Amino acid sequence: MPDEPTGAMRRPARVIKRLVTYTGLVLLGLYVVLFFAQTGVIFESDPKVRKTPESLGWKFEEVKLPVGRETTFGWFIPADNERGVVLVCHGNGGNMGTHLSGTRQFRNLGFSILLFDYGGFGKSTGKPSERRCYADAEAMWRYLSHTRGVPPERILVWGGSFGGGTACELARRVQPHALILQSTFRSMAKAAFGERWGWAATPFLRHRFNNERKIASVHCPVLIIHSRGDTLYPFSHGEKLYQLANEPKQFIEIQGDHYGWEGRSNKGFVQSLRAFLEPLFPEPKTSPAKP
């Protein structure tokens, strides 16, 4: 019969077993903390709307839509001699009042704006989540296409920064006339944990916003806008999304950090944006003035 293992031989095995158990408990604890804490980290909402279109001298209509048992609020800002409507999926932090000034670029180009808040942001009731963001955007799409009767060929979906995840999913579902993703990410996991370790973090995330998996299902012209100086979502995120997008597609490189590009890229950016939009949303013809 083989010799029974001695106490000295059994001790290393017990130590290894304990290490494995403790490591498993630590990982389980981290998973529980991450699972329940991530909503507060990902969604930086503000319930108080401090700025409205009226403060900029713009006419607007408040939009109030039921989403499940909750209510989602938005603003429809009409343009004179409208060439199309931009459905804006704004970035994280604050609410639609915080992101109102960023819509000026489209208003100056002759577009009406539909800007809305996700659940838990501004006056929109309920709690934020990936699923709620998608439901909010789809409700706004139905409002444009059904209630207001705007045909899809006159609707542009824009997602900036965090809002790119919502815009990409909406475009995959409804196929608008064009999609613009500006300074956004490949996926929430790779945005938070880097491109090397994002795959390992994915199972731990409740809100994944996996743009790189979804963009191939978007079948409309796509414009990707990104800066090499972006320190929040690296330039490689924009490059990868452009690589995965279907034709026709276009890439505009801007300058500056994630929150500081406007002052350094505004002129060239607007020219490039106009060049992308004009073939898709031609300016309406005006009748010649009578003598």
Side-chain angles (χ1 to χ4, degrees):
M1 292 181 61
D3 294 336
E4 292 291 329
T6 65
M9 295 175 62
R10 288 196 294 267
R11 278 196 293 273
R14 287 200 298 268
V15 170
I16 293 173
K17 185 176 180 179
R18 287 175 182 172
L19 284 174
V20 171
T21 301
Y22 293 153
T23 301
L25 290 173
V26 169
L27 291 175
L28 178 61
L30 288 173
Y31 171 77
V32 171
V33 171
L34 178 61
F35 187 84
F36 288 102
Q38 62 186 262
T39 297
V41 173
I42 292 174
F43 300 97
E44 301 174 10
S45 60
D46 185 349
K48 188 173 182 179
V49 179
R50 297 172 176 83
K51 190 176 184 179
T52 70
E54 187 177 20
S55 63
L56 297 176
W58 300 348
K59 295 179 180 178
F60 74 102
E61 303 170 29
E62 186 174 72
V63 180
K64 181 180 176 181
L65 302 177
V67 176
R69 296 182 179 180
E70 305 296 342
T71 303
T72 298
F73 285 82
W75 294 323
F76 182 79
I77 308 168
D80 296 330
N81 206 25
E82 172 191 285
R83 65 194 294 183
V85 182
V86 182
L87 177 52
V88 175
C89 301
H90 68 66
N92 201 6
N95 49 58
M96 57 185 177
T98 311
H99 298 274
L100 183 60
S101 297
T103 67
R104 189 187 299 273
Q105 60 196 4
F106 294 109
R107 182 173 171 80
N108 291 343
L109 291 172
F111 285 85
S112 295
I113 309 295
L114 179 57
L115 176 64
F116 68 96
D117 267 333
Y118 314 113
F121 285 68
K123 293 169 63 178
S124 295
T125 65
K127 296 180 180 179
S129 69
E130 180 180 12
R131 181 178 296 181
R132 176 64 190 276
C133 287
Y134 297 160
D136 292 330
E138 196 161 356
M140 290 293 161
W141 173 272
R142 289 194 300 270
Y143 167 78
L144 276 182
S145 58
H146 297 163
T147 305
R148 299 195 74 97
V150 181
E153 59 269 21
R154 293 186 60 243
I155 302 177
L156 163 68
V157 173
W158 180 86
S161 186
F162 167 84
T166 299
C168 191
E169 171 66 14
L170 178 65
R172 183 184 72 85
R173 293 184 184 185
V174 303
Q175 303 298 338
H177 199 48
L179 169 67
I180 298 178
L181 297 178
Q182 183 168 339
S183 305
T184 193
F185 47 80
R186 295 173 60 177
S187 69
M188 185 57 67
K190 290 180 179 177
F193 297 95
E195 297 182 39
R196 178 176 295 182
W197 299 107
W199 64 271
T202 298
F204 296 87
L205 292 182
R206 299 163 64 190
H207 316 289
R208 299 181 180 181
F209 294 102
N210 198 335
N211 293 333
E212 65 180 354
R213 182 178 180 183
K214 297 175 180 179
I215 197 167
S217 299
V218 176
H219 299 285
C220 67
V222 175
L223 173 62
I224 306 293
I225 303 169
H226 221 103
S227 170
R228 289 186 185 273
D230 195 321
T231 56
L232 183 61
Y233 305 136
F235 188 70
S236 58
H237 283 237
E239 287 183 309
K240 185 63 175 181
L241 290 177
Y242 177 75
Q243 177 187 338
L244 295 172
N246 295 305
E247 295 283 359
K249 58 185 176 180
Q250 186 175 333
F251 192 100
I252 297 177
E253 181 177 339
I254 54 179
Q255 304 296 320
D257 199 356
H258 189 79
Y259 299 106
W261 62 269
E262 290 185 69
R264 298 173 58 185
S265 299
N266 192 47
K267 185 177 179 181
F269 167 69
V270 171
Q271 291 174 346
S272 300
L273 180 62
R274 182 182 287 111
F276 172 78
L277 293 173
E278 282 183 348
L280 299 169
F281 301 91
E283 296 186 30
K285 296 179 180 179
T286 56
S287 302
K290 294 182 180 181

